[in-house]
Amino acid sequence: MHIKFSNRGTTLIIRINGELDHHTAEYVRQKIDSEILKSTTRNIVFDFSELSFMDSSGIGVIIGRYKNIRKLNGKAAVVNINDQIMRILNMSGILKIIPVYKSLDEAVSAVQE
Amino acid sequence: MMQPINEVKVEFISKSSNESFARIVAAAFVSQLDPTVEELTDVKTAVSEAVTNAIIHGYENSSGYVRMQCKLYTDSVEIEIEDDGKGIEDIELARQPLYTSKPELERSGMGFTVMESFMDKVDVYSEPGKGTKVVMFKTFKSLSELK
Ligand SMILES: Nc1ncnc2c1ncn2[C@@H]1O[C@H](COP(=O)(O)OP(=O)(O)OP(=O)(O)O)[C@@H](O)[C@H]1O
Ligand SMILES: [Mg+2]
């Protein structure tokens, strides 16, 4: 499990490599929260191209980070999700507030609008 | 119900690192039937939810044993996940989408809903102070269609 960060303007792109479950959630939370604090981040984009597994613990992580950037008036989006993760996100209803985009470029321009 | 063609039981302590262990064991066992990758992911996801619940809610911060039992049939699987933890007072409420007793831990209350959606049937047996047993059943359509 590791996380790669990159910045585009005020947007932090978060790429999680590995499996996101209850066991890894705490590490992921801490990493993202401290990265948001140290950069000029307002918006976040989760790039799930390297996420091989996620359960409902991932929903909590995504919503929790979303709440944090809402305090900065920021927006969140997700890209590159597989069918299993799509089903879980759909079920939870979070796609209404955190939309899925087809490409990273599309997601970045949408959150920075 | 007919006799299972194979059966496995594992018991492990309520450590979060055993969540991936339980998923891998269940998936490896079910692989004998040769279901699709997608069906295997369904099983892994449901197991992950039930085991995580046993660890977070059943045992909270204490330590105890989680038992997992898998029974294979020709084109289906039954998986039982059991803890001797604190139990559930109102099972119907617990199963509601978005209901969680631990919002402060960033839980979303979607675990049971995920289990129900990825498996065909989910039964919950629980009593306060006595623990919880979740029994899940899934037919692998890729296999039953071959018949
Ligand atoms: N093994 C268990 N022992 C005791 N209580 C449980 C157990 N499993 C579930 N519960 C109760 O049922 C509720 C709903 O469980 P569910 O998995 O749907 O959501 P959650 O675990 O709270 O959140 P999420 O799974 O989305 O992270 C829990 O909040 C808890 O109160
Ligand atoms: Mg749960």
Side-chain angles (χ1 to χ4, degrees):
Chain A
M1 149 69 50
H2 65 127
I3 310 178
K4 279 177 256 170
F5 296 106
S6 54
N7 291 286
R8 281 209 214 163
T10 54
T11 303
L12 178 69
I13 298 158
I14 303 161
R15 196 182 305 154
I16 303 169
N17 178 296
E19 303 195 320
L20 180 50
D21 63 3
H22 163 240
H23 179 66
T24 56
E26 192 47 46
Y27 172 79
V28 171
R29 257 197 282 278
Q30 277 175 13
K31 278 274 174 188
I32 297 175
D33 288 349
S34 63
E35 188 68 26
I36 288 176
L37 281 180
K38 76 179 181 210
S39 58
T40 51
T41 302
R42 265 189 53 203
N43 311 296
I44 49 175
V45 174
F46 290 98
D47 176 354
F48 286 159
S49 54
E50 293 170 10
L51 186 65
S52 51
F53 176 85
M54 190 188 99
D55 62 18
S56 67
S57 303
I59 301 171
V61 170
I62 297 169
I63 295 178
R65 306 302 63 71
Y66 173 76
K67 284 182 179 160
N68 291 348
I69 56 134
R70 280 310 293 162
K71 292 173 198 153
L72 310 165
N73 271 319
K75 289 188 196 160
V78 290
V79 280
N80 298 324
I81 56 175
N82 67 31
D83 290 350
Q84 180 246 1
I85 296 171
M86 184 67 181
R87 273 172 73 190
I88 293 178
L89 295 180
N90 234 332
M91 247 177 260
S92 70
I94 66 174
L95 298 181
K96 287 183 207 115
I97 50 171
I98 307 168
V100 180
Y101 292 95
K102 286 199 199 74
S103 72
L104 195 55
D105 288 341
E106 225 180 290
V108 171
S109 49
V111 293
Q112 283 183 172
E113 242 171 38
Chain B
M1 183 125 206
M2 47 180 183
Q3 280 296 106
I5 54 172
N6 200 356
E7 203 173 320
V8 67
K9 284 183 193 177
V10 283
E11 197 167 0
F12 47 88
I13 62 164
S14 53
K15 265 183 111 79
S16 65
S17 51
N18 286 329
E19 291 156 3
S20 62
F21 169 76
R23 292 198 291 272
I24 293 164
V25 169
F29 185 66
V30 165
S31 292
Q32 296 173 17
L33 294 181
D34 206 19
T36 64
V37 173
E38 196 179 284
E39 287 167 329
L40 276 180
T41 306
D42 292 352
V43 169
K44 272 186 168 178
T45 310
V47 165
S48 196
E49 296 295 349
V51 169
T52 301
N53 280 353
I55 294 171
I56 301 179
H57 305 293
Y59 292 116
E60 295 186 302
N61 296 317
S62 65
S63 175
Y65 282 96
V66 180
R67 288 180 295 282
M68 179 170 78
Q69 183 175 8
C70 308
K71 289 182 192 163
L72 276 192
Y73 300 94
T74 48
D75 61 1
S76 59
V77 68
E78 186 187 84
I79 301 175
E80 236 180 71
I81 288 156
E82 193 175 10
D83 65 68
D84 306 313
K86 78 171 210 180
I88 303 174
E89 218 150 292
D90 186 341
I91 297 174
E92 211 187 312
L93 175 68
R95 296 182 68 145
Q96 301 271 321
L98 303 175
Y99 171 80
T100 180
S101 55
K102 294 206 185 308
E104 74 283 2
L105 294 184
E106 290 193 349
R107 308 314 307 176
S108 60
M110 290 302 295
F112 278 127
T113 308
V114 169
M115 288 180 240
E116 283 163 8
S117 142
F118 284 67
M119 303 293 277
D120 298 338
K121 195 167 179 284
V122 178
D123 290 313
V124 183
Y125 306 90
S126 187
E127 236 182 283
K130 295 219 171 118
T132 299
K133 180 162 86 176
V134 175
V135 184
M136 305 185 280
F137 188 84
K138 186 180 183 70
T139 299
F140 299 110
K141 307 230 165 42
S142 64
L143 302 172
S144 55
E145 277 162 10
L146 291 177
K147 279 190 192 157

